[in-house]
Amino acid sequence: MTSTTEGTRSAPALLAVLMPAMLATVIASDMVNLVLPAIGAEFGASEAELAWVVTGFLLMFSVGIPFYGRVSDRVSLRRLFVFALLTYAAGSLVCALAPDLLALVAGRIVMGVGAAAIPVLSIIAVTRLMPENRRGTGIGVLSAASGVGTAAGPAVGGGIGQLLGWPALFWLMFAVALVLLPSALRVLPGEPPAGEARFDLPGGVLLGLGAGLALFGITQAQVAGLAAPSSWGSLVVAVVAVALFGWRTVRVAHPFVPPALFANRVYRNAVALAFLAMVVNLGGLVFVPLLVVDVNGLTPGAGALVMIPAGIAVAVVSPLIGRLADRIGTRPLVLAGLAVIGLFSLFLSTFTGGASVVPAGVGIFGLSVGFIFVLTPLISAAAGALPAGQVGAGLGILQGAQFLGAGTGPALFGVLVTARQQGGGGAVNPLYGGSEGAAYSDVFLTMAVVVVPALAVACRMRPREAGHARYTTRV
């Protein structure tokens, strides 16, 4: 008996729901960055207070992803997806009508609760509902939406915010969520999966607490410094929470994360690689726009335009990579992608100190394409290596690792930039010839260094791990 209903559901109809949902939620995470000054001027808020407009959303996102993945093993995709869209719409409405900063932050938190479900449920839906030989293509299409949303978020936010005001961003998200509801009800299955009926809720709370506090502590280190109690205190509590989570995992009958997940070598490698690749990718997506504004003197809106070719490339390449992964497997694509990421990180570190913004555009273009070569095959391989009853939990943890990398990279690199700008001195890279921007050169060089352990993990992948485990369609 199969665990999917491939024969009764159209793959194009499924992706027609999942793609715009993924695009909207990814855009939502970054769309406010360029309108924060306008929000601060309207509400009379400080930079530290404004940071919560971003942090509140991200914290709920990081906590929610593993929960939605785990719950999807016992609750139908239709119910979870509809709940997520309604919650996302409600949070968007609160933000659009917010009379003060507190209401805006509350709305962003509610948005984050809904948005956290979309990426992981979308991947789970493709894994369960599309035929195995088309799974990579489906994941590639979703990766395209995610990549375009990440690159376009600042541009969309800056453009719409400047023309129509920042509340228009949230009215747009509200409308998108409501438009998608009828299609989600029609396309997604209403029957619950035949997975494990129970799991350890306290363990899930500890995992979410650990992930959320780790992200918050890293973010606070960037804003207030590592010596601030809000930074080191959060990190200490995060470590304690994760330790308690590990203790419960090996002692309860139905742990939140089945230990067998990490006995699976394919899955274990995929989690490590997804985290490291996301650290580098988000580092580039954050610091290339900052570079062209700070060093090249572009406006924030013009700086966001530098990212558009990379977003277009991701949209075009991702489905092709998905199909290629279905044919030749994971390892060759991951190794090639990591090599490209490393080379273009070095390129950015070497050539982005001049008057032209072209090297920055070329660098982020190559970085984004390399990342898609890594991520799309990894998700497909991880999904294929998991038994049907562990797909939700496994993909929730995998995407949680991705998101943790997305929060960790920019925060740690931000600390490095601040320290280097305050300390002065030239770039570490001896080939860097720019008169300004040495701190950014060092960040891009550090990104190249992070690729080295990722390559070491990828080299340990066996060629046979490139395929998909055949038992994933059985219960």
Side-chain angles (χ1 to χ4, degrees), residues 297-399:
L298 298 187
T299 63
L305 294 178
V306 174
M307 313 297 289
I308 290 179
I312 295 173
V314 168
V316 172
V317 170
S318 294
L320 303 177
I321 296 301
R323 286 198 289 271
L324 197 57
D326 287 334
R327 294 176 183 176
I328 70 172
T330 302
R331 186 184 182 187
L333 295 175
V334 170
L335 287 172
L338 289 172
V340 169
I341 291 172
L343 288 173
F344 277 93
S345 296
L346 288 173
F347 176 89
L348 285 167
S349 176
T350 303
F351 296 110
T352 52
S356 173
V357 299
V358 172
V362 171
I364 195 61
F365 182 96
L367 205 67
S368 298
V369 171
F371 178 70
I372 291 301
F373 268 79
V374 174
L375 189 64
T376 300
L378 277 181
I379 295 175
S380 184
L386 295 173
Q390 295 179 2
V391 166
L395 292 180
I397 296 300
L398 176 66
Q399 292 214 308

Side-chain angles (χ1 to χ4, degrees), residues 40-69:
E42 180 172 337
F43 294 141
S46 66
E47 289 186 6
E49 292 170 331
L50 286 173
W52 278 100
V53 178
V54 177
T55 303
F57 182 93
L58 296 181
L59 285 176
M60 292 302 102
F61 210 91
S62 65
V63 171
I65 284 176
F67 267 96
Y68 282 113

Side-chain angles (χ1 to χ4, degrees), residues 3-381:
S3 63
T4 65
T5 53
E6 296 95 335
T8 62
R9 289 184 172 85
S10 163
L14 178 67
L15 294 176
V17 175
L18 302 181
M19 267 195 71
M22 179 82 85
L23 183 65
T25 52
V26 174
I27 285 176
S29 66
D30 296 324
M31 69 181 184
V32 299
N33 292 359
L34 295 180
V35 297
L36 286 178
I39 295 172
E42 180 172 337
F43 294 141
S46 66
E47 289 186 6
E49 292 170 331
L50 286 173
W52 278 100
V53 178
V54 177
T55 303
F57 182 93
L58 296 181
L59 285 176
M60 292 302 102
F61 210 91
S62 65
V63 171
I65 284 176
F67 267 96
Y68 282 113
R70 192 65 173 99
V71 172
S72 72
D73 285 331
R74 59 180 299 187
V75 179
S76 74
L77 286 173
R78 181 188 298 166
R79 289 180 62 185
L80 287 175
F81 213 88
V82 167
F83 170 80
L85 288 174
L86 288 173
T87 304
Y88 185 80
S92 300
L93 183 62
V94 170
C95 290
L97 299 173
D100 53 37
L101 185 66
L102 181 61
L104 179 60
V105 171
R108 285 286 284 174
I109 288 172
V110 176
M111 282 186 73
V113 172
I118 304 300
V120 64
L121 294 183
S122 296
I123 297 296
I124 290 170
V126 165
T127 300
R128 290 179 179 166
L129 304 178
M130 291 184 67
E132 186 177 349
N133 62 356
R134 298 188 62 191
R135 182 185 297 151
T137 301
I139 291 173
V141 170
L142 295 181
S143 296
S146 178
V148 170
T150 301
V156 169
I160 295 178
Q162 184 175 350
L163 291 174
L164 303 175
W166 63 264
L169 297 171
F170 299 105
W171 284 117
L172 176 62
M173 295 297 111
F174 175 73
V176 168
L178 293 185
V179 167
L180 288 174
L181 269 173
S183 298
L185 284 167
R186 184 172 62 254
V187 171
L188 293 172
E191 61 274 10
E196 185 178 289
R198 301 184 332 185
F199 60 84
D200 179 39
L201 182 59
V205 171
L206 288 170
L207 177 62
L209 185 66
L213 287 175
L215 180 61
F216 179 73
I218 292 169
T219 303
Q220 285 298 106
Q222 183 180 6
V223 175
L226 190 59
S230 60
S231 176
W232 65 261
S234 297
L235 294 173
V236 168
V237 177
V239 170
V240 172
V242 171
L244 290 173
F245 163 74
W247 179 83
R248 286 192 66 86
T249 296
V250 298
R251 283 169 172 78
V252 298
H254 302 280
F256 186 81
V257 177
L261 280 177
F262 289 95
N264 184 321
R265 183 173 180 175
V266 179
Y267 178 77
R268 191 169 64 242
N269 287 337
V271 170
L273 287 169
F275 174 81
L276 293 171
M278 204 68 171
V279 166
V280 176
N281 184 58
L282 261 290
L285 291 174
V286 169
F287 284 95
V288 165
L290 290 177
L291 166 79
V292 297
V293 170
D294 190 24
V295 176
N296 298 108
L298 298 187
T299 63
L305 294 178
V306 174
M307 313 297 289
I308 290 179
I312 295 173
V314 168
V316 172
V317 170
S318 294
L320 303 177
I321 296 301
R323 286 198 289 271
L324 197 57
D326 287 334
R327 294 176 183 176
I328 70 172
T330 302
R331 186 184 182 187
L333 295 175
V334 170
L335 287 172
L338 289 172
V340 169
I341 291 172
L343 288 173
F344 277 93
S345 296
L346 288 173
F347 176 89
L348 285 167
S349 176
T350 303
F351 296 110
T352 52
S356 173
V357 299
V358 172
V362 171
I364 195 61
F365 182 96
L367 205 67
S368 298
V369 171
F371 178 70
I372 291 301
F373 268 79
V374 174
L375 189 64
T376 300
L378 277 181
I379 295 175
S380 184

Side-chain angles (χ1 to χ4, degrees), residues 434-454:
S435 57
E436 296 182 63
Y440 293 101
S441 173
D442 288 352
V443 163
F444 300 134
L445 183 63
T446 305
M447 287 163 48
V449 172
V450 173
V451 173
V452 174

